[in-house]
Amino acid sequence: MTQQPQAKYRKDYTAPDFTITHIDLDFDLLDSHARVTAKSQVKQMVAGADSMILDGDGLTLKKIEIDGKAWPHYSETTEGLILSQLPKEFELLIETDIDPAGNTSLEGLYKSDGAYCTQCEAEGFRRITYYLDRPDVLAKFTTTITADKSAYPFLLSNGNKVGEGDADNGRHWVKWEDPHAKPSYLFALVAGDFDLLSDRYTTRSGRDVALEIFVDKGNLDRATHAMTSLKNSMKWDEDRFDLEYDLDIYMIVAVDFFNMGAMENKGLNVFNSKYVLANSDTATDTDYLGIEAVIGHEYFHNWTGNRVTCRDWFQLSLKEGLTVFRDQEFSSDLGSRAVNRIGNVRIMRGPQFAEDCGPMAHPIRPEKVIEMNNFYTLTVYEKGSEVIRMMHTLLGETSFQKGMKLYFERHDGTAATCEDFVKAMEDASGVDLVQFRLWYSQSGTPELTVTSTFDETQQTFSLTVKQFTPATADQKEKQALLIPFDVELYAADGRVIELQCNGSPVGNVLHLTQDEQTFIFQNVSEKPVISMLREFSAPVKLNYDYSDEELAFLMVHARNEFARWDAGQMLLAKHIKANVVRIQQGDAFSLPDDVLDAFRGVLLSKELDAALIAEVMTLPSENEIGGWFEVVDVDAIHQVRDAIKHAFADAFNDELSAIYHTLRQERYTIAHDAMGKRSLRNVCLSYLALNENADALVSEHFNQSNNMTDTAAALAAANHAELDCRQSLMDTFSDKWTHDGLVMDKWFMLQGTNPADDALENVKAQMEHAAFSLKNPNRTRSLVGAFCNNNPVHFHSKDGSGYKFLSDILIQLNESNPQVASRLLDPLLKLKRFDEERQRLMREQLERLAALDKLAKDLYEKINKALEA
Ligand code: TRP
Ligand code: ZN
């Protein structure tokens, strides 16, 4: 590092000295470079200010004028441009040259295959022109794009098209005007040749909106699900949140080279093609659901993010937590609420809890940031959504919606803070959220430890709840939070026992506010079974000494599906933990029959949805299990999880086989019921693959499949069970799909998670596959990411080969695409969680990376924290 990257602190926020009210952008897209001319109307905001710093990165400055005259009072720094001796109000013209074709970071203006596109969030606009690249500067944009007409027939930007025409040399131009003032991170430009799927939507108040989805040529038949999802999103936001779209056109462009999922640029979303393209031959049910969720997410940002944006990047969860909450509710209202909740909770308990106890631990509203791109995290997004969800639980839907209304009344058209949001919720509902605000500033995962006593003579049942948040890397001292704790009591016959305290009925949601609290329930005539933290009412860990019988009881009798699933998970957790200890002590694996009986009961249940049964039968991931231990023993965990799978496969062979055969569907549809049945059938297949003579069954499943869900399930089953047919099925698939990177991602992922002993050698070999490229983030994540994150036994190999492999790749990506490198680095950061030898090997690779002479800020921030800890 030549220069130490500087941290920014939330407490240091100051409003800008100058603002920009209008910007008129002109892009001349040439083969050799792009010429960008920005004409801005600048206004002094703080009396006496006469200089300003414009952000800029990698720009070649060509011209600076103020009010039409060359401006000599400036200096260029590595971070931008300092302008001085400025008047109070002026027109600033800046001309810069940039190199989109050489831009491999996929930030700013870059080329994805043959098309130009942009990614400006968080701080990418400064790679396009010198600007006040901060979210609290809101300007009205007009954008003119000129480019070759045959190579780039579509020239797109935000807002409405207000002019177009031909230019010299076979070129043409289009001019766009966005009537809504916006921060620079919401700017977008796309130029290219696409197939276009068009539709229309009429909003509730009668606005006729043109909907346009742009995809690579030949992919038109894969855009219909995205279009349906978009229309569903627009309708849902009207129905549930009373929010309508506010422009006459909504465009989505799908690109193959994209660092994240998608981007909510005003009126012109840019999407990773993974979240647009789907048909039954190429996409799995999970892909279809992912598209619906991400299309919804970006659409919902139009209000929560764009109309009300963030004052500064520390407030990111203001838009992301809230918008994730909204997309989760959208998916739950359209599909299965229980299955969606289970999926979200698995993410919290796995990767989010892991982030909370690692070196990058931060509150949902971070205090200190070096590289903003490092804070698009599970904590800001997923835990951020849980925090919104807790407010929703505490207020109820009606008051929550009143709070949303007040939030928009107060902050529409402005850049707001998390505090503004909580205040609106508080003022609209009258609910006191003073203590609740701690969720925004305190990091880490709280742990609840519960004990109970039943008093037969008093007919009372009491629950004592202790809350404790362990210290995190960023914050030693923790305080008690306001935790909504949803409980229910059951009698032995399954009847619900009404909750009564101090002589009157109380609701299910208890408010925990202290380190320790006791709740005494009256008129309880028998020792009840407690269902706790129902619906995962708060993002916390729960410790309670349940007996197997109680958990098996809840798996059958709990009134809500989520609670039944959760009881199954707790029963598994109990026996997984006990067995890991057994293995470590050299004892044999054992699983009592009562546990098997509980799961057999679920498998044979007539009343549970197939989709839910599939979830109950799906074990927690090795990563989630690792989170339950002080020191992660990857080998023992793998062994135990495997032994449970085999025990299930063995014990339930007949039931699994019967269900497998009855759930066969002739036709493929993506109705939720059909997806649920497929999901259960494929879970059955994954177990059946572990038994004798599974080759024939799995091959037949593969050969008879008429959709990608079943095809991918057969491949996964063959892969994980290491069947003889694995190689031939994998070859057949790759021969068929080599031309299609998105489909091949499923195959690369299986190579990454291959349990075979030579997994790493094989992953290295697949990097030479015709469909693979380290330049493409999706490919890289599928192969390299899957290996490092989801193949713990091999990634954490005691010879250190997995760690070295990852850091070899990071050395390449550090310069070409630091954003992708930084995400890929995460498994190496968690070194403290492993034994000393592994820690030493991981540290060795981190130190090797730290010594790189052009180490990107993104990696610098994380590596330093990991080595410091
Ligand atoms: N705002 C985007 C979203 O939530 C996230 C995003 C897309 C992003 N691309 C990015 C964030 C690049 C940082 C960098 O959906
Ligand atoms: Zn988002």
mmCIF file of all heavy atoms in Angstrom, residues 121 262-264 297-298 301 304 316 319-321 323-324 327 376 381, ligand 2:
data_model
loop_
_atom_site.group_PDB
_atom_site.id
_atom_site.type_symbol
_atom_site.label_atom_id
_atom_site.label_comp_id
_atom_site.label_asym_id
_atom_site.label_seq_id
_atom_site.Cartn_x
_atom_site.Cartn_y
_atom_site.Cartn_z
ATOM 1 N N GLU A 121 -24.090 2.713 -7.725
ATOM 2 C CA GLU A 121 -24.104 2.526 -6.279
ATOM 3 C C GLU A 121 -22.899 1.668 -5.878
ATOM 4 O O GLU A 121 -22.612 0.689 -6.565
ATOM 5 C CB GLU A 121 -25.379 1.815 -5.826
ATOM 6 C CG GLU A 121 -25.491 1.797 -4.304
ATOM 7 C CD GLU A 121 -26.782 1.153 -3.788
ATOM 8 O OE1 GLU A 121 -27.541 0.581 -4.587
ATOM 9 O OE2 GLU A 121 -26.997 1.207 -2.584
ATOM 10 N N ALA A 262 -28.974 -6.960 -8.575
ATOM 11 C CA ALA A 262 -29.639 -6.015 -9.458
ATOM 12 C C ALA A 262 -29.536 -4.620 -8.863
ATOM 13 O O ALA A 262 -29.127 -4.474 -7.707
ATOM 14 C CB ALA A 262 -31.109 -6.386 -9.631
ATOM 15 N N MET A 263 -29.915 -3.609 -9.647
ATOM 16 C CA MET A 263 -29.775 -2.227 -9.193
ATOM 17 C C MET A 263 -30.989 -1.397 -9.576
ATOM 18 O O MET A 263 -31.432 -1.433 -10.713
ATOM 19 C CB MET A 263 -28.482 -1.647 -9.790
ATOM 20 C CG MET A 263 -28.203 -0.224 -9.376
ATOM 21 S SD MET A 263 -28.018 -0.078 -7.567
ATOM 22 C CE MET A 263 -28.687 1.563 -7.328
ATOM 23 N N GLU A 264 -31.479 -0.639 -8.588
ATOM 24 C CA GLU A 264 -32.778 0.047 -8.690
ATOM 25 C C GLU A 264 -32.729 1.414 -9.358
ATOM 26 O O GLU A 264 -33.625 2.241 -9.108
ATOM 27 C CB GLU A 264 -33.346 0.204 -7.274
ATOM 28 C CG GLU A 264 -32.602 1.218 -6.359
ATOM 29 C CD GLU A 264 -31.574 0.600 -5.419
ATOM 30 O OE1 GLU A 264 -31.073 -0.506 -5.722
ATOM 31 O OE2 GLU A 264 -31.261 1.218 -4.398
ATOM 32 N N HIS A 297 -37.969 -6.597 -5.247
ATOM 33 C CA HIS A 297 -37.050 -5.780 -4.439
ATOM 34 C C HIS A 297 -36.695 -4.469 -5.164
ATOM 35 O O HIS A 297 -36.825 -3.389 -4.590
ATOM 36 C CB HIS A 297 -35.793 -6.596 -4.130
ATOM 37 C CG HIS A 297 -34.787 -5.881 -3.288
ATOM 38 N ND1 HIS A 297 -34.704 -6.041 -1.927
ATOM 39 C CD2 HIS A 297 -33.820 -4.988 -3.614
ATOM 40 C CE1 HIS A 297 -33.732 -5.284 -1.449
ATOM 41 N NE2 HIS A 297 -33.176 -4.638 -2.467
ATOM 42 N N GLU A 298 -36.255 -4.582 -6.393
ATOM 43 C CA GLU A 298 -35.824 -3.364 -7.114
ATOM 44 C C GLU A 298 -37.019 -2.452 -7.380
ATOM 45 O O GLU A 298 -36.918 -1.235 -7.287
ATOM 46 C CB GLU A 298 -35.104 -3.715 -8.421
ATOM 47 C CG GLU A 298 -33.914 -4.673 -8.276
ATOM 48 C CD GLU A 298 -32.943 -4.330 -7.163
ATOM 49 O OE1 GLU A 298 -32.753 -3.135 -6.867
ATOM 50 O OE2 GLU A 298 -32.362 -5.283 -6.584
ATOM 51 N N HIS A 301 -37.916 -0.499 -4.299
ATOM 52 C CA HIS A 301 -36.973 0.594 -4.032
ATOM 53 C C HIS A 301 -37.456 1.920 -4.620
ATOM 54 O O HIS A 301 -37.011 2.984 -4.192
ATOM 55 C CB HIS A 301 -35.606 0.283 -4.660
ATOM 56 C CG HIS A 301 -34.621 -0.376 -3.735
ATOM 57 N ND1 HIS A 301 -34.416 0.026 -2.436
ATOM 58 C CD2 HIS A 301 -33.740 -1.397 -3.943
ATOM 59 C CE1 HIS A 301 -33.461 -0.723 -1.886
ATOM 60 N NE2 HIS A 301 -33.042 -1.601 -2.778
ATOM 61 N N THR A 304 -39.016 3.142 -1.459
ATOM 62 C CA THR A 304 -38.112 3.017 -0.308
ATOM 63 C C THR A 304 -36.674 2.934 -0.819
ATOM 64 O O THR A 304 -36.118 1.850 -0.958
ATOM 65 C CB THR A 304 -38.483 1.802 0.551
ATOM 66 O OG1 THR A 304 -38.603 0.640 -0.289
ATOM 67 C CG2 THR A 304 -39.821 2.010 1.241
ATOM 68 N N LEU A 316 -27.564 3.063 5.052
ATOM 69 C CA LEU A 316 -27.956 2.138 3.981
ATOM 70 C C LEU A 316 -29.144 1.246 4.345
ATOM 71 O O LEU A 316 -30.015 0.976 3.532
ATOM 72 C CB LEU A 316 -26.748 1.254 3.581
ATOM 73 C CG LEU A 316 -27.008 0.239 2.471
ATOM 74 C CD1 LEU A 316 -27.404 0.924 1.169
ATOM 75 C CD2 LEU A 316 -25.763 -0.628 2.235
ATOM 76 N N LYS A 319 -32.858 2.061 3.450
ATOM 77 C CA LYS A 319 -33.511 1.601 2.221
ATOM 78 C C LYS A 319 -33.426 0.086 2.057
ATOM 79 O O LYS A 319 -34.379 -0.528 1.594
ATOM 80 C CB LYS A 319 -32.968 2.340 0.992
ATOM 81 C CG LYS A 319 -31.582 1.924 0.481
ATOM 82 C CD LYS A 319 -31.233 2.700 -0.795
ATOM 83 C CE LYS A 319 -29.848 2.419 -1.338
ATOM 84 N NZ LYS A 319 -29.721 1.182 -2.118
ATOM 85 N N GLU A 320 -32.314 -0.522 2.448
ATOM 86 C CA GLU A 320 -32.159 -1.956 2.171
ATOM 87 C C GLU A 320 -32.935 -2.838 3.150
ATOM 88 O O GLU A 320 -33.614 -3.775 2.746
ATOM 89 C CB GLU A 320 -30.681 -2.344 2.117
ATOM 90 C CG GLU A 320 -29.908 -1.690 0.962
ATOM 91 C CD GLU A 320 -30.508 -1.949 -0.421
ATOM 92 O OE1 GLU A 320 -31.366 -2.845 -0.568
ATOM 93 O OE2 GLU A 320 -30.113 -1.242 -1.372
ATOM 94 N N GLY A 321 -32.825 -2.566 4.434
ATOM 95 C CA GLY A 321 -33.567 -3.370 5.406
ATOM 96 C C GLY A 321 -35.061 -3.288 5.114
ATOM 97 O O GLY A 321 -35.771 -4.294 5.069
ATOM 98 N N THR A 323 -36.543 -2.426 2.302
ATOM 99 C CA THR A 323 -36.932 -2.999 1.001
ATOM 100 C C THR A 323 -36.846 -4.522 1.022
ATOM 101 O O THR A 323 -37.671 -5.199 0.403
ATOM 102 C CB THR A 323 -36.091 -2.372 -0.126
ATOM 103 O OG1 THR A 323 -36.265 -0.949 -0.071
ATOM 104 C CG2 THR A 323 -36.539 -2.868 -1.489
ATOM 105 N N VAL A 324 -35.911 -5.074 1.769
ATOM 106 C CA VAL A 324 -35.889 -6.539 1.929
ATOM 107 C C VAL A 324 -37.156 -6.979 2.671
ATOM 108 O O VAL A 324 -37.813 -7.950 2.281
ATOM 109 C CB VAL A 324 -34.622 -7.026 2.673
ATOM 110 C CG1 VAL A 324 -34.733 -8.507 3.022
ATOM 111 C CG2 VAL A 324 -33.376 -6.785 1.823
ATOM 112 N N ASP A 327 -39.841 -6.969 0.136
ATOM 113 C CA ASP A 327 -39.823 -8.072 -0.844
ATOM 114 C C ASP A 327 -40.145 -9.408 -0.169
ATOM 115 O O ASP A 327 -40.790 -10.279 -0.767
ATOM 116 C CB ASP A 327 -38.526 -8.065 -1.680
ATOM 117 C CG ASP A 327 -37.337 -8.798 -1.071
ATOM 118 O OD1 ASP A 327 -37.460 -9.976 -0.718
ATOM 119 O OD2 ASP A 327 -36.249 -8.189 -0.991
ATOM 120 N N TYR A 376 -22.489 -3.836 2.050
ATOM 121 C CA TYR A 376 -23.720 -4.406 1.479
ATOM 122 C C TYR A 376 -23.794 -5.834 1.999
ATOM 123 O O TYR A 376 -23.533 -6.796 1.292
ATOM 124 C CB TYR A 376 -23.704 -4.308 -0.052
ATOM 125 C CG TYR A 376 -23.905 -2.879 -0.468
ATOM 126 C CD1 TYR A 376 -22.865 -1.958 -0.372
ATOM 127 C CD2 TYR A 376 -25.153 -2.435 -0.867
ATOM 128 C CE1 TYR A 376 -23.071 -0.629 -0.679
ATOM 129 C CE2 TYR A 376 -25.370 -1.105 -1.189
ATOM 130 C CZ TYR A 376 -24.318 -0.208 -1.089
ATOM 131 O OH TYR A 376 -24.537 1.112 -1.390
ATOM 132 N N TYR A 381 -28.737 -5.884 5.225
ATOM 133 C CA TYR A 381 -29.910 -6.304 4.455
ATOM 134 C C TYR A 381 -30.853 -7.192 5.272
ATOM 135 O O TYR A 381 -32.014 -6.863 5.485
ATOM 136 C CB TYR A 381 -29.472 -7.089 3.203
ATOM 137 C CG TYR A 381 -29.128 -6.228 2.006
ATOM 138 C CD1 TYR A 381 -28.073 -5.320 2.046
ATOM 139 C CD2 TYR A 381 -29.842 -6.328 0.823
ATOM 140 C CE1 TYR A 381 -27.743 -4.545 0.949
ATOM 141 C CE2 TYR A 381 -29.520 -5.555 -0.296
ATOM 142 C CZ TYR A 381 -28.472 -4.670 -0.222
ATOM 143 O OH TYR A 381 -28.154 -3.907 -1.311
HETATM 144 ZN ZN ZN B 2 -31.815 -3.201 -2.372
#
